[in-house]
Amino acid sequence: MKGLIFKDLLLMVKMNKKVVCVMYVFAAAIAFLGENERYALMASVFFSLFIGMHFMMTMTYDGMSAWKQYEWTLPVSRCKIIAGKYLACLSLVPVSVAGTAVMYAVRYGIYGNFSLNIFRFSMTAAVLLPVLWCCVCLALAQWFGYMSVQYIRMAGVLILVVSVNRMPEELLPLLGNLIQNPLAVVPAVLAVVVFSYFASVAGYGRKK
C-alpha cells in the first residue's frame, strides 16, 4: 500500500507543471485583489480546492493508462488500495494549511487587516476541502469511471465561484463563528468520509 501512495504523490509532482502552477498562482492572486476579507476567503477556498483537484488529476492519468488492470494483479486487497488513496489525500492537508497561512500572513503585511473568524473558517476549509473533494470524486470515479472526474471538477469550480461571489458579507462572520463549535462539523465530515470509502470499495470491486 505504501508503494501505491508513493505512486500517487509522485504522479502529482511529475504531471504538467505549467498547468499546476497556473492553478495555484490564480488561487493565490485572488487574495490580493483588494482589502475586502472576501478575497482572502475566496483565495483560501480555491487554493484548498485546487489541491484536491491536483490529486484527482492523477486518477485521470490512471484511467488513460488502464492502471486498474495492472492494479488488480497486485497482492493488495481492494480495501487497502482505496485506503491508500485516502491516505495520500490526507498527506496533502499540511500543504493546504501552510499555503492558507502564508496567504493570510502576506495579506496582513500588505493591507494590515485581519479577521480572526474568517481566518478560522479558512483554516478549517484548508483541512476539510481537499479531503471532502477527494472523497466525493473517489466514490464517483469508482462507479462512473476515472474520466468522469474531469466533469465533476469543472462543475465544482463553477458552483464554488457562484456561491462565493454571491455570498452576503454579513454571512462571513457567521461562517467563522460556526467553526467555534467543531462538534457540529466533525460528525458530518466523518460521515461523508466513511460513506465515500465504502462506496468507493464497492464501486472498485464492481468494475474491472
Side-chain angles (χ1 to χ4, degrees):
M1 188 169 71
K2 292 180 181 178
L4 294 175
I5 296 174
F6 180 74
K7 185 271 294 183
D8 287 333
L9 296 178
L10 185 61
L11 191 56
M12 286 184 65
V13 176
K14 295 292 185 179
M15 69 175 52
N16 193 324
K17 292 182 174 60
K18 291 182 180 179
V19 175
V20 172
C21 287
V22 168
M23 287 170 52
Y24 291 121
V25 169
F26 169 76
I30 295 175
F32 307 102
L33 293 178
E35 295 185 25
N36 195 310
E37 286 294 314
R38 174 181 293 185
Y39 295 122
L41 176 61
M42 289 177 62
S44 62
V45 169
F46 273 110
F47 182 78
S48 303
L49 184 63
F50 284 162
I51 288 178
M53 287 183 177
H54 190 176
F55 179 72
M56 286 297 101
M57 288 168 68
T58 64
M59 299 183 66
T60 303
Y61 283 90
D62 286 349
M64 291 189 296
S65 62
W67 167 258
K68 190 172 183 179
Q69 280 71 14
Y70 171 76
E71 203 170 44
W72 274 84
T73 66
L74 300 176
V76 183
S77 68
R78 63 183 182 181
C79 293
K80 289 185 177 180
I81 289 173
I82 297 299
K85 294 191 178 296
Y86 281 83
L87 292 175
C89 177
L90 285 174
S91 69
L92 301 175
V93 170
V95 179
S96 178
V97 172
T100 298
V102 169
M103 280 193 292
Y104 269 87
V106 176
R107 263 187 62 89
Y108 181 75
I110 295 175
Y111 300 113
N113 59 345
F114 180 79
S115 171
L116 181 60
N117 282 339
I118 296 179
F119 176 72
R120 186 183 296 115
F121 182 80
S122 295
M123 293 302 288
T124 303
V127 174
L128 299 183
L129 267 181
V131 176
L132 289 175
W133 183 250
C134 290
C135 286
V136 172
C137 290
L138 277 170
L140 293 175
Q142 300 308 322
W143 283 91
F144 302 106
Y146 291 118
M147 299 306 294
S148 65
V149 175
Q150 296 276 14
Y151 306 106
I152 298 169
R153 184 169 66 240
M154 291 186 289
V157 170
L158 289 174
I159 293 172
L160 182 63
V161 169
V162 173
S163 300
V164 175
N165 278 332
R166 300 198 175 193
M167 185 186 300
E169 292 186 14
E170 294 78 10
L171 288 181
L172 296 182
L174 176 61
L175 290 174
N177 289 329
L178 290 176
I179 310 307
Q180 295 178 357
N181 183 15
L183 294 180
V185 179
V186 174
V189 173
L190 289 177
V192 172
V193 172
V194 171
F195 176 80
S196 170
Y197 173 75
F198 286 108
S200 297
V201 171
Y204 185 88
R206 169 178 165 271
K207 290 183 65 178
K208 293 190 179 183

